[in-house]
Amino acid sequence: MRLLPFIVSGALFCAGPIAADVTGDRDTGRKISGQCRTCHGADGFATIPIAPHIGGEPADYLRAQLTAFRDGTRTHEMMSIVAANLTDQNIADLAAWYGGHTVRVDLSADPANAPQACVGCHGADGIHLTDDVPNLAGETNIYIDTQLKAFRSGKRQHAIMSSVAADLTNAEIRAYADWYAAVKLYIDTVE
């Protein structure tokens, strides 16, 4: 395993372990993605409000998260079970499938009003600016709210997000969640 490094404001951080250098196959990923569709939809557009959209997420981010669920460094009552039996190759294939989708957004609000604590990594429109950051565009406000509160409480740990969320009030969290939930997201599966 290797650590996924990234640079923010001149400081080097490590996002955590990711699957070994394995090349993912989109077609194989599409075939094994059936286990994901109940919550995340066939195209990666979540079908339940507490699950994130994963179509069009950066493949590096998807690999890191699936590996973390599998290895227990990130826990979730469902994802920890689903990921437990994934091999590095399965993870690479799933990341290739979902990461290969394209996303488009419709931001109807003025980008100048976007949450300034978020735009440096997630963009005003909620589309990742680096490959180790998830898209927030079109996520439900319930999902974003829950994740920010998990970072704030320490239930979920991340070198940057834990400190960003630490001092956020409930009102700020809701405002940030509402901003990104209002962005219309379109996921195109590129075959």
Short mmCIF file of all heavy atoms in Angstrom, two decimals, residues 33 37 40-47 53-56 97-98 101 186-189:
data_model
loop_
_atom_site.label_atom_id
_atom_site.label_comp_id
_atom_site.label_asym_id
_atom_site.label_seq_id
_atom_site.Cartn_x
_atom_site.Cartn_y
_atom_site.Cartn_z
N SER A 33 -20.38 -3.44 -10.11
CA SER A 33 -21.02 -2.31 -9.43
C SER A 33 -22.45 -2.61 -9.00
O SER A 33 -23.06 -1.80 -8.30
CB SER A 33 -21.00 -1.07 -10.34
OG SER A 33 -21.87 -1.25 -11.45
N ARG A 37 -25.48 -0.45 -6.41
CA ARG A 37 -26.63 0.27 -6.96
C ARG A 37 -27.78 0.47 -5.99
O ARG A 37 -28.55 1.42 -6.13
CB ARG A 37 -27.11 -0.38 -8.25
CG ARG A 37 -27.86 -1.66 -8.09
CD ARG A 37 -28.33 -2.25 -9.41
NE ARG A 37 -27.18 -2.55 -10.25
CZ ARG A 37 -27.10 -2.24 -11.54
NH1 ARG A 37 -28.12 -1.68 -12.14
NH2 ARG A 37 -26.03 -2.52 -12.23
N HIS A 40 -26.26 3.65 -4.11
CA HIS A 40 -25.60 4.68 -4.93
C HIS A 40 -26.15 4.77 -6.35
O HIS A 40 -25.68 5.60 -7.13
CB HIS A 40 -24.09 4.42 -4.98
CG HIS A 40 -23.43 4.45 -3.64
ND1 HIS A 40 -23.22 5.62 -2.94
CD2 HIS A 40 -22.96 3.45 -2.86
CE1 HIS A 40 -22.63 5.34 -1.79
NE2 HIS A 40 -22.46 4.02 -1.71
N GLY A 41 -27.11 3.94 -6.71
CA GLY A 41 -27.70 3.97 -8.03
C GLY A 41 -26.81 3.31 -9.07
O GLY A 41 -25.60 3.20 -8.90
N ALA A 42 -27.42 2.88 -10.16
CA ALA A 42 -26.69 2.18 -11.22
C ALA A 42 -25.64 3.07 -11.87
O ALA A 42 -24.59 2.59 -12.30
CB ALA A 42 -27.68 1.68 -12.28
N ASP A 43 -25.91 4.37 -11.92
CA ASP A 43 -24.97 5.29 -12.55
C ASP A 43 -24.15 6.08 -11.53
O ASP A 43 -23.39 6.97 -11.89
CB ASP A 43 -25.71 6.26 -13.46
CG ASP A 43 -26.75 7.08 -12.71
OD1 ASP A 43 -26.95 6.87 -11.50
OD2 ASP A 43 -27.39 7.94 -13.35
N GLY A 44 -24.30 5.75 -10.26
CA GLY A 44 -23.56 6.47 -9.22
C GLY A 44 -24.31 7.65 -8.65
O GLY A 44 -23.77 8.41 -7.85
N PHE A 45 -25.58 7.82 -9.04
CA PHE A 45 -26.43 8.88 -8.48
C PHE A 45 -27.24 8.25 -7.36
O PHE A 45 -28.09 7.41 -7.60
CB PHE A 45 -27.34 9.47 -9.56
CG PHE A 45 -27.96 10.78 -9.16
CD1 PHE A 45 -27.30 11.97 -9.43
CD2 PHE A 45 -29.18 10.82 -8.51
CE1 PHE A 45 -27.88 13.19 -9.06
CE2 PHE A 45 -29.75 12.02 -8.13
CZ PHE A 45 -29.09 13.22 -8.41
N ALA A 46 -26.92 8.63 -6.13
CA ALA A 46 -27.49 7.99 -4.94
C ALA A 46 -29.01 7.97 -4.96
O ALA A 46 -29.66 8.93 -5.38
CB ALA A 46 -27.00 8.68 -3.68
N THR A 47 -29.55 6.85 -4.48
CA THR A 47 -30.99 6.68 -4.45
C THR A 47 -31.59 6.91 -3.06
O THR A 47 -32.80 6.93 -2.93
CB THR A 47 -31.36 5.26 -4.92
OG1 THR A 47 -30.72 4.30 -4.07
CG2 THR A 47 -30.92 5.03 -6.36
N HIS A 53 -23.44 10.56 -3.82
CA HIS A 53 -23.32 10.28 -5.25
C HIS A 53 -21.85 9.90 -5.48
O HIS A 53 -20.95 10.57 -4.99
CB HIS A 53 -23.65 11.51 -6.09
CG HIS A 53 -25.01 12.08 -5.80
ND1 HIS A 53 -26.16 11.32 -5.80
CD2 HIS A 53 -25.39 13.34 -5.51
CE1 HIS A 53 -27.19 12.10 -5.53
NE2 HIS A 53 -26.75 13.32 -5.34
N ILE A 54 -21.61 8.81 -6.19
CA ILE A 54 -20.23 8.41 -6.43
C ILE A 54 -19.85 8.43 -7.91
O ILE A 54 -18.67 8.34 -8.24
CB ILE A 54 -19.92 7.02 -5.82
CG1 ILE A 54 -20.84 5.95 -6.37
CG2 ILE A 54 -19.99 7.09 -4.29
CD1 ILE A 54 -20.49 4.53 -5.89
N GLY A 55 -20.81 8.61 -8.79
CA GLY A 55 -20.51 8.73 -10.20
C GLY A 55 -19.77 10.03 -10.47
O GLY A 55 -20.22 11.09 -10.05
N GLY A 56 -18.64 9.94 -11.13
CA GLY A 56 -17.86 11.13 -11.45
C GLY A 56 -16.93 11.60 -10.35
O GLY A 56 -16.25 12.60 -10.51
N TRP A 97 -14.65 2.47 -12.94
CA TRP A 97 -16.01 2.59 -13.47
C TRP A 97 -16.65 3.90 -13.05
O TRP A 97 -17.03 4.72 -13.89
CB TRP A 97 -16.87 1.40 -13.04
CG TRP A 97 -18.33 1.59 -13.29
CD1 TRP A 97 -19.33 1.69 -12.37
CD2 TRP A 97 -18.98 1.74 -14.57
NE1 TRP A 97 -20.54 1.88 -12.98
CE2 TRP A 97 -20.35 1.92 -14.34
CE3 TRP A 97 -18.52 1.74 -15.88
CZ2 TRP A 97 -21.28 2.09 -15.36
CZ3 TRP A 97 -19.44 1.93 -16.91
CH2 TRP A 97 -20.79 2.09 -16.65
N TYR A 98 -16.78 4.13 -11.75
CA TYR A 98 -17.46 5.33 -11.28
C TYR A 98 -16.65 6.59 -11.55
O TYR A 98 -17.21 7.64 -11.88
CB TYR A 98 -17.82 5.21 -9.80
CG TYR A 98 -18.96 4.26 -9.55
CD1 TYR A 98 -18.76 3.08 -8.85
CD2 TYR A 98 -20.23 4.54 -10.01
CE1 TYR A 98 -19.81 2.20 -8.62
CE2 TYR A 98 -21.29 3.67 -9.78
CZ TYR A 98 -21.08 2.50 -9.09
OH TYR A 98 -22.12 1.64 -8.87
N HIS A 101 -17.07 8.26 -15.08
CA HIS A 101 -18.28 8.99 -15.45
C HIS A 101 -17.94 10.48 -15.51
O HIS A 101 -17.04 10.95 -14.82
CB HIS A 101 -19.38 8.79 -14.42
CG HIS A 101 -19.88 7.38 -14.27
ND1 HIS A 101 -19.42 6.31 -14.99
CD2 HIS A 101 -20.82 6.88 -13.45
CE1 HIS A 101 -20.06 5.21 -14.63
NE2 HIS A 101 -20.92 5.53 -13.69
N TYR A 186 -25.59 16.41 -12.81
CA TYR A 186 -25.91 15.47 -13.87
C TYR A 186 -24.73 14.52 -14.01
O TYR A 186 -23.58 14.95 -14.08
CB TYR A 186 -26.12 16.18 -15.21
CG TYR A 186 -27.17 17.26 -15.14
CD1 TYR A 186 -26.81 18.59 -14.86
CD2 TYR A 186 -28.51 16.98 -15.36
CE1 TYR A 186 -27.75 19.58 -14.81
CE2 TYR A 186 -29.47 17.98 -15.30
CZ TYR A 186 -29.08 19.28 -15.02
OH TYR A 186 -30.03 20.25 -14.96
N ILE A 187 -24.99 13.22 -14.01
CA ILE A 187 -23.94 12.22 -14.15
C ILE A 187 -24.15 11.49 -15.46
O ILE A 187 -25.24 10.97 -15.72
CB ILE A 187 -23.95 11.22 -12.97
CG1 ILE A 187 -23.70 11.93 -11.65
CG2 ILE A 187 -22.92 10.12 -13.20
CD1 ILE A 187 -23.83 11.06 -10.42
N ASP A 188 -23.12 11.48 -16.27
CA ASP A 188 -23.16 10.78 -17.55
C ASP A 188 -22.22 9.58 -17.47
O ASP A 188 -21.03 9.74 -17.19
CB ASP A 188 -22.72 11.69 -18.69
CG ASP A 188 -23.63 12.91 -18.83
OD1 ASP A 188 -24.85 12.75 -18.77
OD2 ASP A 188 -23.08 14.02 -19.01
N THR A 189 -22.74 8.40 -17.72
CA THR A 189 -21.89 7.21 -17.76
C THR A 189 -21.27 7.12 -19.13
O THR A 189 -21.98 7.00 -20.13
CB THR A 189 -22.68 5.93 -17.45
OG1 THR A 189 -23.73 5.81 -18.37
CG2 THR A 189 -23.22 5.95 -16.04
#
